[in-house]
């Protein structure tokens, strides 16, 4: 069967046992597409609007779209600053909170509050940001790592490719160069 409507009203295309309101299964080889939205209107976009409700009350309303020119985005239909995620056509630059990625920047984050948070969810792990120079292997990097498990052990470390801590900023505000336990405002070892 090509189309099934089961006793609960679920619709299946390519399946006789749909488990959702609409389930589409690709059953033959060929194009990678399972579903296609195509708009031929000038300066228009194709997309999908998704609305979530709880007890009849709208809780979320998002648009997933491809704009004229090829840009892709996800926007919150209920927010004043609606753009949540945007990939610019041509460059592939990514923007969050705006449709205008900064020229020359792969990632632009626009926010009225904190711009970026990196949080480790492991009970003993640190949050890190790695920098890899052009053509560098993953072990040829510089890392900024926030470590410690609370209290005076919390610190920000600047680390080279051999995992040597070059500089540490302790939670006290003391800075250590060549030491991870600075005892004075600037401790050079």
């Amino acid at each position: 069967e090509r189309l099934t409507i089961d006793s609960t009203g679920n619709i299946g295309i390519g399946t006789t046992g749909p488990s959702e309101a609409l389930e589409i299964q690709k059953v033959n080889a060929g194009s990678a597409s399972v579903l296609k939205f195509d708009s031929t209107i000038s300066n228009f976009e194709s997309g999908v609007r998704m609305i979530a409700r709880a007890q009849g009350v709208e809780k979320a309303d998002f648009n997933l779209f491809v704009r004229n020119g090829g840009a892709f985005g996800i926007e919150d239909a209920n927010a004043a600053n609606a753009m949540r995620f945007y990939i610019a056509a041509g460059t592939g630059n990514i923007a969050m909170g705006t449709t205008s990625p900064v020229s020359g920047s792969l990632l632009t984050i626009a926010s009225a509050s904190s711009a970026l948070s990196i949080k480790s969810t492991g009970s003993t792990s640190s949050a890190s940001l790695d920098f890899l120079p052009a053509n560098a292997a993953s072990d040829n990097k510089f890392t900024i790592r926030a470590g410690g498990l609370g209290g005076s052990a919390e610190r920000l470390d600047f680390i080279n490719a051999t995992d040597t801590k070059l500089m540490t900023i302790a939670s006290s505000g003391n800075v250590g160069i060549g030491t991870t336990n600075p005892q004075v405002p600037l401790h050079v070892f």
Side-chain angles (χ1 to χ4, degrees):
E1 278 185 58
R2 293 183 182 164
L3 177 69
T4 301
I5 302 176
D6 71 11
S7 60
T8 65
N10 288 349
I11 300 170
I13 299 174
T15 178
T16 57
S19 60
E20 305 293 334
L22 174 62
E23 182 175 338
I24 301 172
Q25 289 187 14
K26 186 174 173 98
V27 294
N28 55 10
S31 168
S33 299
V34 174
L35 185 61
K36 180 179 180 179
F37 296 92
D38 191 358
S39 174
T40 58
I41 302 170
S42 179
N43 296 319
F44 201 72
E45 61 187 44
S46 290
V48 177
R49 186 170 182 186
M50 297 168 277
I51 301 173
R53 300 180 194 279
Q55 288 87 36
V57 177
E58 185 177 303
K59 298 295 184 179
D61 185 354
F62 284 91
N63 294 317
L64 175 69
F65 65 83
V66 175
R67 288 227 165 106
N68 183 29
F72 169 83
I74 300 172
E75 63 186 359
D76 184 344
N78 291 326
N81 184 10
M83 191 53 56
R84 297 296 180 231
F85 182 81
Y86 184 83
I87 301 176
T91 64
N93 292 353
I94 299 170
M96 299 174 78
T98 180
T99 58
S100 301
V102 173
S103 178
S105 176
L106 177 62
L107 175 63
T108 300
I109 300 173
S111 174
S113 58
S114 64
L116 178 65
S117 296
I118 299 173
K119 181 178 181 178
S120 171
T121 58
S123 61
T124 61
S125 54
S126 302
S128 298
L129 182 60
D130 293 335
F131 298 88
L132 281 77
N135 301 318
S138 62
D139 56 349
N140 292 328
K141 64 183 178 193
F142 286 92
T143 300
I144 299 175
R145 181 178 298 146
L149 300 174
S152 62
E154 290 184 353
R155 62 184 185 267
L156 188 65
D157 293 318
F158 295 79
I159 305 165
N160 69 8
T162 61
D163 207 30
T164 301
K165 293 175 178 72
L166 304 172
M167 183 173 78
T168 296
I169 303 174
S171 60
S172 64
N174 291 346
V175 176
I177 299 175
T179 178
T180 59
N181 189 20
Q183 299 299 308
V184 293
L186 178 59
H187 186 161
V188 178
F189 184 75

